Each structure stands twice: as C-alpha cells, then as structure tokens.
Amino acid sequence: MSNLINNGVEAIRGEKGGMVEVSYKVKGEEVEVVVKDNGEGMSKDKVEKINMGEAVGTSKEMGHGIGMEQILKVVKELEGKMDVESKEGEGTEFRLRFKKVESPKWFADKIEIKKGSTVVVLDDDVLVHDIWKKKFKEYEKEIEAKYFSKCMEAIEFINSIEEKEKGKVLLLTDYEFKGQGINGIGLIEKTKMEDKHILVTNKYLSDIKEFKEKSDFLKTCQKCI
C-alpha cells in the first residue's frame, strides 16, 4: 500500500496540486482495494505490461515506477489480482482484489451488548475514547459507557459495582499502559472480569518476551471470542 501511495504522489506534477484516494469495498467473497490519483498517468504500453504481471522501470517524470516489482510480488503471494487503468495527463487507478479470509479465532469481529449494559472503556489514549464514543453514539439510550485513562480509577469503579450487577458490565481494555505498573491482563484479574472483557490492542504475541506474559496474553485472547 505504501508503494502504491508513493507512486501516486510521484505521478502528481505541476502547480495544480493533486490527490491520492484510497478506498475499499467488499464484493461477495472478495475485498477490492482501490488506489487512485489524478497525476500524469501512464502510457498504454506501461499499463499493458503491469496488467500482464510485468514490472516496469522507474520513471520520475511520470511516477508509477517505485516498488512495482514488490507490489506485483505481494499480490501474487496473497493470490490476489491487480488491474490498472490510466490516461496520460488525467491519472491512474489501481484495483487490487483479494479473497476474503476467516478472522482468527482470537479476533472478535463483532461485539454483542445487551440493552441496559454498562461498557467500561479503558485506554490511556484519549483518541481511542473518541472512536468508541462515535461507535456507541447511536446506542446511548440502550447502554451506558464509562471512559477511563487511569487503571486504578477503572479498577475502583468496577469493584464498586455489586456482584449481582457485574454481569451487566463489559470491559474493553487496552493491554499496555505506560507508567501505570499494570497491564490489561493484570487489571482483568484484579476486577474479576475474566469472562466479561475484550482485550482491545495492537499488541502481538510476538512482541511479548516473558513466558508467563505470553501465556496469559494467549489465554485472554482466546476468551475474546
């Protein structure tokens, strides 16, 4: 994707400025990704070569040479397809199509929340709070959302809820908290939310060095289903 975007930027010339547009949509069992620019475009010969799976040389004057060999290689490895349309002086559009794959078992591709529930969002990045607020906006009459940046405040809030009411609570917690002396898994244990949480993180198992942390992380991810 970075190579395609760089190519689009390289193809934009002159004082008129330009735009590189990235979009995607799901069509049946395929995902289509489109990268479109309004740059200088490419010759018919170059377009034909790319559509036949041949890499083209770099042309700084026209763009669309950077990393094309790598792009074609990745598309092939992922068993995808790529089509290119281009008009000189008007722009270029790359369309990449890939087969849909099943989500990993540890990945929650949807969240089901019962009416009357309380959702506790814990993340030290307030931008993440904004994302959840937008997602929950249309459900604000059905559920109550609480937002925390500090682990201890979240722990105190959850532990103040009566045990019989805890079944109505869902915890959405980050894994890593800088300078707070605890991670998401430790927080889940302290609040006894083992069966009422989803770990929301970009942390990968391979990023974790300690064996116990790896084990706890994996067990927690498996419970996210």
Side-chain angles (χ1 to χ4, degrees):
M1 291 305 300
S2 61
N3 280 329
L4 283 170
I5 293 168
N6 287 341
N7 283 335
V9 173
E10 286 289 338
I12 295 168
R13 292 289 179 269
E15 296 180 1
K16 68 174 184 177
M19 181 172 68
V20 179
E21 181 182 324
V22 182
S23 61
Y24 85 96
K25 56 186 172 183
V26 179
K27 303 170 77 174
E29 292 302 309
E30 284 190 333
V31 176
E32 182 180 75
V33 181
V34 178
V35 180
K36 183 178 181 180
D37 67 66
N38 61 350
E40 293 298 317
M42 294 186 290
S43 66
K44 287 185 178 179
D45 179 59
K46 188 174 284 188
V47 170
E48 286 176 4
K49 283 185 176 180
I50 294 173
N51 281 333
M52 290 174 65
E54 298 178 22
V56 293
T58 301
S59 171
K60 288 289 183 181
E61 288 73 27
M62 299 295 285
H64 297 297
I66 302 173
M68 188 56 64
E69 186 174 351
Q70 185 181 7
I71 293 166
L72 291 167
K73 179 183 176 184
V74 171
V75 170
K76 185 177 180 181
E77 286 176 351
L78 296 176
E79 299 181 358
K81 297 177 182 178
M82 184 172 75
D83 299 314
V84 183
E85 289 185 7
S86 185
K87 289 185 179 180
E88 292 187 68
E90 293 186 21
T92 302
E93 180 176 297
F94 287 86
R95 289 191 304 275
L96 296 85
R97 299 190 303 281
F98 302 98
K99 292 178 182 177
K100 281 172 61 178
V101 296
E102 289 186 17
S103 299
K105 289 183 179 180
W106 50 264
F107 183 83
D109 56 1
K110 66 178 179 179
I111 301 174
E112 294 182 0
I113 305 171
K114 293 181 180 179
K115 287 184 180 181
S117 296
T118 298
V119 181
V120 176
V121 176
L122 174 60
D123 202 297
D124 53 4
D125 184 347
V126 293
L127 293 177
V128 175
H129 292 190
D130 291 339
I131 293 169
W132 283 116
K133 284 175 183 177
K134 288 178 182 177
K135 286 186 176 293
F136 291 143
K137 187 170 179 60
E138 61 181 295
Y139 307 108
E140 55 190 12
K141 292 181 180 179
E142 284 83 19
I143 63 173
E144 182 180 11
K146 298 283 188 180
Y147 300 89
F148 296 93
S149 299
K150 303 292 185 183
C151 293
M152 291 309 300
E153 291 178 2
I155 291 171
E156 288 174 8
F157 173 77
I158 294 171
N159 287 342
S160 70
I161 299 171
E162 292 183 20
E163 201 62 37
K164 62 180 181 180
E165 294 296 318
K166 270 196 175 182
K168 299 179 182 178
V169 179
L170 173 66
L171 172 63
L172 304 177
T173 179
D174 193 6
Y175 174 76
E176 199 169 33
F177 300 96
K178 294 179 181 177
Q180 298 198 41
I182 191 171
N183 60 32
I185 294 170
L187 182 134
I188 289 163
E189 292 172 350
K190 283 184 177 293
T191 54
K192 299 180 181 178
M193 295 290 288
E194 285 88 348
D195 298 317
K196 298 182 283 289
H197 76 272
I198 293 179
L199 202 63
V200 184
T201 179
N202 61 0
K203 193 83 171 174
Y204 289 95
L205 187 63
S206 57
D207 296 335
I208 304 171
K209 307 303 179 188
E210 295 294 327
F211 177 79
K212 185 179 184 305
E213 279 194 68
K214 277 183 182 288
S215 177
D216 289 344
F217 186 84
L218 189 58
K219 286 176 185 175
T220 302
C221 285
Q222 288 172 338
K223 288 178 182 175
C224 291
I225 299 171

